[in-house]
Amino acid sequence: MESPVIYFKDQFSKRLKSDLTHHHIVSPFSTIVRKEIGDLVRSWRFIVLLALIVLTFFGSIYVSMTNLKTAVTGPMEEGRLLLYLKILTTTDGSLPSFHIFMSFLGAILGIGLGFDAVNAEQQNGTLIRLLAQPVYRDNLLLAKFISPVIVITTLFLSLSLLMIGGGLIITGVSIEWVEVLRILSFVLLTVLYVGFWLSLSILLSVKFKQATTSALTAIGIWLFFTIFYKIVVNMVVKAFLPDPAFLSQGEVLYYNNVILNLLRFSPSQLYTDATTVLLLPAVRSLGPLTMEQMAGAIPTPLSFRESLLVAWPQITGLLAATVLCFALSYYLFMRREIRG
């Protein structure tokens, strides 16, 4: 990997005359972002993660396309309704759908791109020399977050366009505008989910001096929320809440809401709930409904605005967690002694 000091010297020396001629000063932030994107794209770590995501995407899409052939070629027009959303959600059980896969792989992608964002620079001795250049600390930390987000956004937008193009070629069914909005919302939500784990891994890279320690801590947090958190919630519910077999209908509804609210402290649960609503318009609620609420309901898919309103608390929760992790990393990094 190219040394940041050499890179900055080359960049500033090459562009000094042209900048002075055109009375334009190159922003150090944009220079760092370009360097980080270049180093990220050329790294073997990103290539391995990219191959994992792409293979998972094409595997899920292949299973979906295989199961949609009968629906597309049949005489019923219902099979053509929101076809491209079905491509992302339909499965035969051999492989999970792509949005279910991303609840696992998105965390690995975010952790893999950010666990050594700061401590690796300090271990290599380049952090103090980098900050000796005309670069502010906040610009450096923000570039460490923005650069992977740009790459991740480009990746998922490209995969979405490939899916739409493949669907047009194979099925010949034109895409509807509501599908475009829902797919773009799914892409932005996936970027936000990966961004949460990225900001968490950057926080750990600022907190710990060793990259291995920050990586193991981030993986431990991911494993806790993915595997052990549901077990802990079930144990707490059984210990402190009564048996639902002896509760009335209203008490059972409250019982289920308590369990769902506890599970939604997990980022993967927030992501799964939000993507389910955005990609499946038939889902009208993320919680239990009473018979009174179901009575008189018209069995039609929700509009994009209504689905967005249902998923908005989950989206807000992910956004707040991402901002909180990045704010803590910003606070710790601005007060950190880097000369030692």
Side-chain angles (χ1 to χ4, degrees):
M1 183 179 295
E2 185 179 359
S3 174
V5 179
I6 299 176
Y7 183 87
F8 271 93
K9 287 182 178 179
D10 293 339
Q11 291 293 322
F12 288 131
S13 60
K14 289 179 181 179
R15 299 183 181 182
L16 181 59
K17 293 183 179 179
S18 61
D19 293 340
L20 292 176
T21 303
H22 296 87
H23 303 283
H24 175 70
I25 300 176
V26 177
S27 172
F29 175 74
S30 61
T31 304
I32 300 175
V33 169
R34 287 194 297 269
K35 176 190 175 299
E36 290 294 328
I37 292 177
D39 292 342
L40 184 62
V41 172
R42 291 190 297 266
S43 65
W44 279 104
R45 174 176 51 187
F46 176 74
I47 294 174
V48 172
L49 293 173
L50 176 63
L52 183 62
I53 297 295
V54 171
L55 289 176
T56 302
F57 174 79
F58 282 110
S60 301
I61 296 304
Y62 174 77
V63 173
S64 301
M65 289 289 190
T66 304
N67 295 324
L68 285 176
K69 284 183 179 180
T70 56
V72 174
T73 58
M76 296 299 292
E77 289 296 326
E78 286 80 0
R80 300 173 181 266
L81 180 63
L82 302 180
L83 174 68
Y84 292 88
L85 298 182
K86 293 180 181 179
I87 293 177
L88 289 173
T89 56
T90 303
T91 180
D92 60 354
S94 60
L95 284 176
S97 57
F98 183 65
H99 76 285
I100 300 298
F101 259 127
M102 284 311 303
S103 64
F104 297 95
L105 297 180
I108 298 177
L109 181 61
I111 293 172
L113 296 180
F115 73 93
D116 60 346
V118 176
N119 47 25
E121 296 279 1
Q122 190 165 14
Q123 287 179 2
N124 296 331
T126 57
L127 181 61
I128 186 171
R129 289 184 289 173
L130 178 61
L131 294 179
Q133 306 297 322
V135 176
Y136 294 106
R137 284 196 182 192
D138 51 354
N139 285 340
L140 175 62
L141 189 65
L142 187 60
K144 293 285 186 180
F145 179 78
I146 293 296
S147 302
V149 169
I150 293 175
V151 175
I152 293 167
T153 305
T154 305
L155 169 63
F156 287 114
L157 281 177
S158 301
L159 291 178
S160 300
L161 292 176
L162 283 175
M163 184 268 295
I164 295 174
L168 287 172
I169 295 174
I170 295 175
T171 64
V173 179
S174 60
I175 188 170
E176 301 178 11
W177 281 109
V178 65
E179 294 179 284
V180 175
L181 291 176
R182 289 182 180 273
I183 291 174
L184 288 178
S185 300
F186 166 70
V187 170
L188 294 178
L189 181 59
T190 303
V191 172
L192 176 61
Y193 177 65
V194 177
F196 163 75
W197 291 104
L198 175 64
S199 63
L200 177 63
S201 59
I202 291 176
L203 171 62
L204 296 176
S205 72
V206 174
K207 178 65 178 178
F208 300 108
K209 294 183 178 180
Q210 299 294 327
T212 54
T213 305
S214 60
L216 290 175
T217 304
I219 293 174
I221 295 174
W222 170 66
L223 288 176
F224 171 76
F225 281 113
T226 304
I227 300 175
F228 300 105
Y229 184 68
K230 293 182 180 179
I231 301 175
V232 173
V233 170
N234 290 331
M235 293 175 60
V236 171
V237 167
K238 290 181 179 179
F240 294 98
L241 294 182
D243 190 349
F246 302 97
L247 299 178
S248 62
Q249 181 181 359
E251 292 173 338
V252 170
L253 183 63
Y254 174 77
Y255 179 90
N256 292 330
N257 284 327
V258 169
I259 296 177
L260 286 175
N261 290 332
L262 290 176
L263 290 176
R264 284 167 184 160
F265 281 96
S266 172
S268 59
Q269 184 68 35
L270 294 176
Y271 173 76
T272 303
D273 289 347
T275 52
T276 300
V277 173
L278 292 175
L279 296 178
L280 297 174
V283 177
R284 307 182 67 87
S285 175
L286 291 173
L289 297 175
T290 61
M291 295 301 297
E292 291 79 6
Q293 292 173 324
M294 294 295 295
I298 302 175
T300 56
L302 295 180
S303 64
F304 172 72
R305 179 178 178 274
E306 292 171 339
S307 296
L308 188 62
L309 289 177
V310 174
W312 189 249
Q314 282 72 21
I315 298 174
T316 305
L318 277 177
L319 182 61
T322 304
V323 173
L324 177 62
C325 290
F326 186 79
L328 288 175
S329 62
Y330 180 87
Y331 173 78
L332 294 176
F333 186 65
M334 294 299 289
R335 296 174 60 89
R336 182 173 180 173
E337 177 60 47
I338 63 172
R339 291 176 295 178

